[in-house]
Amino acid sequence: MRRDRSPLRHGRDPRARVLPARPGRAHAPEPAPRVAVVGGGIAGLAAATALAERGVGVTLYERDGGLGGRLAGWPVELTDGSTATMSRGFHAFFRQYYNLRALLRRADPGLHTLTGLPDYPLRHSGGMYDSFAKVPRTPPLSALGFVARSPSFGWADLLRMSPRAALPLLDVRVPDVYERLDGVSAADFLADIRFPQAAHHLAFEVFSRSFFADPRELSAAELALMFHIYFLGSSEGLLFDVPREPFPQALWEPLAGHVDSLGARIRTGTPVETVRPVDGGALEVTASGRTARHDAVVLALDTQGLRQVVAASPSLGDPVWRAGIAALRTAPPFLVSRLWLDRPVAADRPGFLGTSGYGDLDNVSVLERWEGEAHRWALRTGGSVVELHAYAVARAGDREAVQDRMLRQLHRVYPETRDAKVVDERHEWRSDCPLFPVGGYRGRPAVRTPDPSVMVAGDLVRTELPVALMERAATSGFLAANALLARWRIRGHALWTVPDRGRSSVLRALGRLGAC
């Protein structure tokens, strides 16, 4: 990997690092290899796009009726007779997501379907309020600026902190960070630093919630990686973009059109049941009762889907790899509640607000602030479309009680909603996000498997690059495609990441003290 010294392009930090494209043929020879991509989420779409652009014959299998995976959307009819698009909730498209954004540029070169929100505000029930809008974005001023401006940090808090315990944050490298911190929970790591409790809730818990996990279960290595990505590894900071329209219309339908134009076949509503290696290195993929032969397979599934396909395909991989897949765990359940209200929230409410200390409620979105569909509904009715999230909910909890508590907490956060009538509501309970538990890194699958014709992609995989969440999904999809293209001596695709180590030589030197 090398540093890109060219001027800022496509919105990337000039210090972003590039993995150059592996050389080879510009296009697959005839007859072109045939690849089955199993899963139509971000990872699967990245793999399918990268392969199809090189002339590989791609069949994309997706279990559900639409693409997008955990960012899918589907139509619902509201009680007022109108149609809306429901989804699994808010997602922030951070500007460090270089490979995800490169994927979306295939169908939207200018990324006009995304729009920026002005801030990432965080509010605690005790009255503290943090903002990232005016924090410097150049490391290390980004971290120092946040501490200086945040009401969560007082001088007494700073004097009580343990600088030595925090040193690993100054020079995060992958995979070294996992060797150093994977055996510690995020909660224990913060306790060792003696991080101020208010700041713990308002800043670092935001990261653990991004993984839908309780900080007591999450590996501290993932927390440190997030700190690097957003504070000390890039100049984009914590500001982000969101789609101007629901996910299907803004993102996946245009991208599906691009993939289709390359000759790939997209088969939605077609769950894959088994994958079986056969003589000659080929693989037979059985989906919805029909079997087809392919030269390679990319398994771009969520945790449960991957476990199911591997369990039903006994000749796939080797015993060690299969045991690792079987041991994968999912994060606790989460809830997305979307409420269509008969009156607007106050005009000064932000489009997104992270919350802490409000029981189950982790954030509030006011969709008409950025999403066209919600904006049009609000204009027509005079109401608001509000979305509430609760992460890491107790698995055995009373779901209706959680929904009711979330609504009551909304009334605390935005008191004007107390008198609003709920015109319609939808509640999405899900439990399919990967869990990155303490000590779990080595058990996670890599992109490559024991079978050189089978790759794994998704946000659950080990990439050994400083990426996470949606960006890890996109990056792993491109990595899976590149590995297959290299087998056939076809040119790969260049990838980008934030720097793979601390940007400051002084901070790197201090960070090494923490490893002593």
Side-chain angles (χ1 to χ4, degrees), residues 310 314-325 449-451:
V310 171
S315 56
L316 201 59
D318 61 25
V320 173
W321 181 80
R322 295 176 61 80
I325 298 299
T449 77
D451 186 334

Side-chain angles (χ1 to χ4, degrees), residues 6 30 37 118 164 191 354 482 486:
S6 62
E30 294 294 340
V37 177
R164 187 175 186 85
N482 281 350

Side-chain angles (χ1 to χ4, degrees), residues 407-472:
L407 181 59
R408 290 198 295 272
Q409 296 302 336
L410 170 65
H411 296 162
R412 288 183 61 199
V413 178
Y414 294 162
E416 69 272 19
T417 63
R418 291 173 182 163
D419 297 326
K421 176 184 176 183
V422 177
V423 176
D424 208 334
E425 59 190 298
R426 294 291 188 279
H427 304 282
E428 285 292 320
W429 281 93
R430 303 284 180 145
S431 182
D432 53 6
C433 295
L435 179 66
F436 304 116
V438 177
Y441 178 73
R442 288 298 167 192
R444 285 155 54 182
V447 170
R448 297 176 183 269
T449 77
D451 186 334
S453 299
V454 178
M455 303 291 159
V456 180
D459 59 349
L460 55 80
V461 305
R462 289 188 285 121
T463 64
E464 300 199 350
L465 294 172
V467 291
L469 305 170
M470 292 192 293
E471 179 67 353
R472 185 181 288 156

Side-chain angles (χ1 to χ4, degrees), residues 245-306:
E245 295 290 342
F247 298 134
Q249 298 92 309
L251 309 177
W252 312 134
E253 291 169 7
L255 190 57
H258 172 70
V259 174
D260 181 73
S261 73
L262 298 170
R265 294 184 296 173
I266 299 175
R267 298 180 59 187
T268 56
T270 309
V272 166
E273 294 138 17
T274 63
V275 177
R276 185 173 73 91
V278 294
D279 293 341
L283 300 115
E284 289 185 343
V285 175
T286 300
S288 296
R290 300 176 61 186
T291 299
R293 181 170 290 211
H294 300 271
D295 297 300
V297 170
V298 178
L299 298 173
L301 296 157
D302 62 21
T303 302
Q304 182 179 356
L306 182 61

Side-chain angles (χ1 to χ4, degrees), residues 6-343:
S6 62
L8 187 64
R9 295 185 306 162
H10 296 308
R12 281 190 294 263
D13 187 325
R15 293 200 183 191
R17 291 183 174 255
V18 61
L19 285 74
R22 186 183 180 97
R25 302 184 186 98
H27 200 270
E30 294 294 340
R34 295 163 299 174
V35 178
V37 177
V38 185
I42 291 173
L45 284 165
T49 300
L51 291 165
E53 287 178 346
R54 295 294 186 259
V56 174
V58 174
T59 302
L60 175 62
Y61 297 91
E62 167 54 41
R63 172 194 61 195
D64 295 331
L67 300 174
R70 295 201 296 275
L71 274 76
W74 56 94
V76 293
E77 184 176 343
L78 304 181
T79 54
D80 65 1
S82 62
T83 299
T85 306
M86 185 58 189
S87 72
R88 296 156 48 97
F90 175 89
H91 281 76
F93 288 69
F94 289 98
R95 292 160 194 174
Q96 299 91 331
Y97 289 178
Y98 306 135
N99 299 316
L100 173 59
R101 295 165 83 90
L103 174 65
L104 299 178
R105 286 183 190 278
R106 262 63 172 197
D108 178 18
L111 290 184
H112 299 299
T113 56
L114 299 181
T115 185
L117 293 191
D119 196 4
Y120 189 157
L122 305 170
R123 175 175 165 180
H124 192 277
S125 60
M128 286 177 291
Y129 190 92
D130 271 294
S131 166
F132 292 92
K134 297 182 179 180
V135 171
R137 288 191 289 169
T138 302
L141 296 178
S142 49
L144 297 175
F146 175 70
V147 170
R149 296 182 62 88
S150 172
S152 309
F153 290 88
W155 288 109
D157 294 320
L158 293 175
L159 292 174
R160 282 195 294 268
M161 290 175 63
S162 170
R164 187 175 186 85
L167 289 177
L169 296 174
L170 303 182
D171 186 21
V172 172
R173 307 185 185 202
V174 179
D176 294 359
V177 68
Y178 291 97
E179 296 171 4
R180 296 169 69 178
L181 295 178
D182 195 47
V184 181
S185 75
D188 288 342
F189 179 62
L190 293 178
D192 289 343
I193 296 174
R194 297 196 290 273
F195 209 71
Q197 193 64 24
H200 177 168
H201 285 299
L202 281 169
F204 281 77
E205 268 197 12
V206 170
F207 296 151
S208 64
R209 289 169 179 170
S210 297
F211 293 103
F212 299 87
D214 187 312
R216 294 169 296 184
E217 289 191 86
L218 179 69
S219 165
E222 294 290 346
L223 185 74
L225 181 62
M226 297 286 273
F227 183 86
H228 172 74
I229 291 171
Y230 297 113
F231 280 110
L232 291 183
S234 73
S235 294
E236 287 87 356
L238 270 169
L239 300 183
F240 56 84
D241 300 320
V242 289
R244 296 177 185 271
E245 295 290 342
F247 298 134
Q249 298 92 309
L251 309 177
W252 312 134
E253 291 169 7
L255 190 57
H258 172 70
V259 174
D260 181 73
S261 73
L262 298 170
R265 294 184 296 173
I266 299 175
R267 298 180 59 187
T268 56
T270 309
V272 166
E273 294 138 17
T274 63
V275 177
R276 185 173 73 91
V278 294
D279 293 341
L283 300 115
E284 289 185 343
V285 175
T286 300
S288 296
R290 300 176 61 186
T291 299
R293 181 170 290 211
H294 300 271
D295 297 300
V297 170
V298 178
L299 298 173
L301 296 157
D302 62 21
T303 302
Q304 182 179 356
L306 182 61
R307 286 197 311 241
Q308 288 175 343
V309 169
V310 171
S313 308
S315 56
L316 201 59
D318 61 25
V320 173
W321 181 80
R322 295 176 61 80
I325 298 299
L328 293 174
R329 298 168 56 194
T330 55
F334 67 92
L335 168 65
V336 175
S337 290
R338 188 173 296 184
L339 310 174
W340 286 263
L341 306 179
D342 71 343
R343 62 194 65 189

Side-chain angles (χ1 to χ4, degrees), residues 366-404:
V366 182
L367 270 67
E368 70 264 20
R369 296 287 189 266
W370 78 83
E371 186 194 271
E373 181 182 274
H375 180 65
R376 292 186 291 274
W377 186 89
L379 284 177
R380 180 170 57 82
T381 65
S384 274
V385 185
V386 176
E387 188 174 274
L388 316 176
H389 285 205
Y391 301 144
V393 180
R395 296 184 187 271
D398 182 334
R399 293 189 169 186
E400 288 192 5
V402 175
Q403 293 166 191
D404 291 342

